[in-house]
Amino acid sequence: MTLTADRPAPARSGRLLAAAQLAGSLGDGAFLTCSVLFFTRIVGLSPAQVGLGLTLGWAVGSVAGVPLGHLADRHGARGSAVLLALATSASILTFLLVRTPLLFALAACLYGSCQTGLAAVRQALLAALADPERRTRIRARLQSAGNAGLAVGAGLGGLALSADTAPAYLTVFVLDALSFVVTAALMLALPTVTTSAPRAGEPKLAVLRDRPYALVTLLNAVLLLRMPLLSVAIPLWIVERTPAPGWTVSALFVLNTVVVVLLQVRVAGRLASIGSAARMVRRSGVLLCASCVAFALSASGTSPWIAFAVLLVGAVVQVFGEMLQSAGTWEIGFALAPADQQGQYQGFFGTGVSVARAIGPVLLSTVVIGWGLPGWLLLGAVFVAAGWAMGPAVRWAQATR
């Protein structure tokens, strides 16, 4: 079993984890803001080539998360996290060597694998350092720190966009790489965690045979479509289908970031058990559905200010649904995983993020932008169904632990 000698996690460990999350997210915020334009305007790749390469990269990453998490279970979460943070730094620098679509796809696969593996191992490290009743609250603090870092990083990336020169973009890539070196240094200062040998007859990747956990992971992946909904579908919807002013896109992004930073920990603090987590996820599906209805209605009028107000209501409802879904699924993902296999289980559970990033933009652009109101209603119904199904899936998983 992966444990530490000084559980519950001391305040210093929590601060180090949050600082590491902040550092990596700051670099990622700058990278994500301007990387696509770097590859298209400076390197000369087409948007289709960039999109295909990123999709392939996250798809490969979703597969790599489980074996990398398993290595952390067997060889130590702290050391694995440090090595993967350094590998992520190196993978970012490989993008500077990209000159062809093939090299870009290979670099994206390396980057996606390192990022996904690091996310899984971070979760395993948190599980090893904190008592079960504190994990979700600490995870919420990490999410708040991550969102704050993304916001600041996006501002730095915006400076590179305004300059629109190769040196400006290269500076962002170097900044992102350095941010993960800082992340590695911070995690190296965390307490060492011990590991145990695998049990006799235990399969190496037991999570791949855990059907109840697979169902929970699938439902989580469906609910995580709210990620590309905010970053891809809603901006396209605002620009192409509503009379709202263009700056509405930035306003809604800032609103989402600020609310998560301020309230995510408080929302997570309402959790008392895995049953309450399942109920929280069910409510999140209803709220996400309600936000879809509001977004759909924003295109029904001609006044830009009415459209903005309706979009604002939808964004507020959406961010509360997002916070409920995040807190509930974090608790479920931790609670259903065996204590000595948190790495591989968190790697598997984290594939929901990779799947949403890989297929979400194309899927939501087709359903929402292409179909309009019927597409929004269909997406809302999917959120409700996934949220409701989480309760029975969790009970099935509990019965088989």
Side-chain angles (χ1 to χ4, degrees):
M1 182 179 294
T2 304
L3 295 171
T4 62
D6 52 355
R7 292 174 67 178
R12 180 173 178 272
S13 293
R15 289 194 296 269
L16 286 171
L17 285 169
Q21 187 79 21
L22 177 65
S25 298
L26 191 150
D28 275 347
F31 175 82
L32 295 173
T33 300
C34 58
S35 58
V36 172
L37 287 182
F38 169 78
F39 295 128
T40 55
R41 295 171 66 87
I42 306 301
V43 178
L45 301 178
S46 71
Q49 289 169 337
V50 173
L52 179 61
L54 291 176
T55 299
L56 181 62
W58 287 118
V60 171
S62 67
V63 176
V66 175
L68 289 174
H70 174 69
L71 289 177
D73 291 331
R74 293 293 161 253
H75 300 287
R78 189 192 69 164
S80 299
V82 171
L83 290 176
L84 281 168
L86 294 175
T88 301
S89 176
S91 72
I92 294 164
L93 295 178
T94 62
F95 282 120
L96 301 181
L97 306 176
V98 166
R99 294 295 180 270
T100 66
L102 177 59
L103 287 178
F104 174 71
L106 293 174
C109 290
L110 178 62
Y111 174 76
S113 298
C114 292
Q115 282 274 35
T116 305
L118 178 58
V121 175
R122 272 175 165 167
Q123 297 289 77
L125 187 57
L126 169 58
L129 290 171
D131 281 334
E133 61 270 17
R134 301 186 63 211
R135 290 172 185 166
T136 298
R137 180 177 284 272
I138 295 174
R139 181 65 180 85
R141 293 195 184 103
L142 301 187
Q143 180 76 358
S144 296
N147 272 37
L150 287 173
V152 174
L156 297 176
L159 296 177
L161 289 177
S162 63
D164 196 26
T165 63
Y169 290 124
L170 294 177
T171 300
V172 167
F173 279 71
V174 173
L175 172 65
D176 194 17
L178 289 175
S179 74
F180 281 95
V181 174
V182 174
T183 296
L186 289 168
M187 290 190 294
L188 188 60
L190 288 166
T192 302
V193 297
T194 59
T195 59
S196 63
R199 294 183 292 268
E202 176 185 80
K204 287 186 177 181
L205 300 179
V207 67
L208 300 182
R209 303 185 183 189
D210 194 334
R211 289 180 294 175
Y213 199 85
L215 177 58
V216 169
T217 300
L218 174 61
L219 294 173
N220 182 52
V222 173
L223 291 166
L224 284 173
L225 288 175
R226 50 94 178 161
M227 296 172 60
L229 177 68
L230 179 66
S231 62
V232 178
I234 292 175
L236 289 175
W237 179 259
I238 290 172
V239 173
E240 296 184 11
R241 302 293 290 271
T242 78
W247 49 261
T248 303
V249 175
S250 298
L252 298 188
F253 177 81
V254 171
L255 171 69
N256 181 276
T257 301
V258 170
V259 171
V260 171
V261 170
L262 295 178
L263 298 180
Q264 181 68 78
V265 175
R266 183 174 298 181
V267 171
R270 296 165 55 191
L271 282 169
S273 65
I274 191 171
S276 65
R279 291 189 293 273
M280 189 174 281
V281 174
R282 184 172 67 240
R283 291 194 294 272
S284 78
V286 175
L287 289 178
L288 291 173
C289 176
S291 71
C292 289
V293 174
F295 292 134
L297 294 177
S298 66
S300 60
T302 58
S303 169
W305 295 111
I306 292 178
F308 172 77
V310 175
L311 287 165
L312 188 62
V313 170
V316 170
V317 175
Q318 188 271 339
V319 72
F320 277 93
E322 171 186 334
M323 290 189 295
L324 290 175
Q325 182 267 331
S326 295
T329 54
W330 292 334
E331 178 67 20
I332 291 167
F334 279 131
L336 295 178
D340 60 342
Q341 297 175 334
Q342 284 284 354
Q344 63 169 286
Y345 268 74
Q346 296 308 319
F348 187 76
F349 197 69
T351 59
V353 175
S354 300
V355 169
R357 283 174 169 171
I359 69 172
V362 174
L363 178 63
L364 294 184
S365 297
T366 300
V367 172
V368 170
I369 307 302
W371 298 359
L373 177 60
W376 280 110
L377 296 179
L378 174 61
L379 179 61
V382 169
F383 282 139
V384 170
W388 178 88
M390 186 63 79
V394 167
R395 289 191 292 272
W396 179 30
Q398 284 183 296
T400 62
R401 293 305 89 183

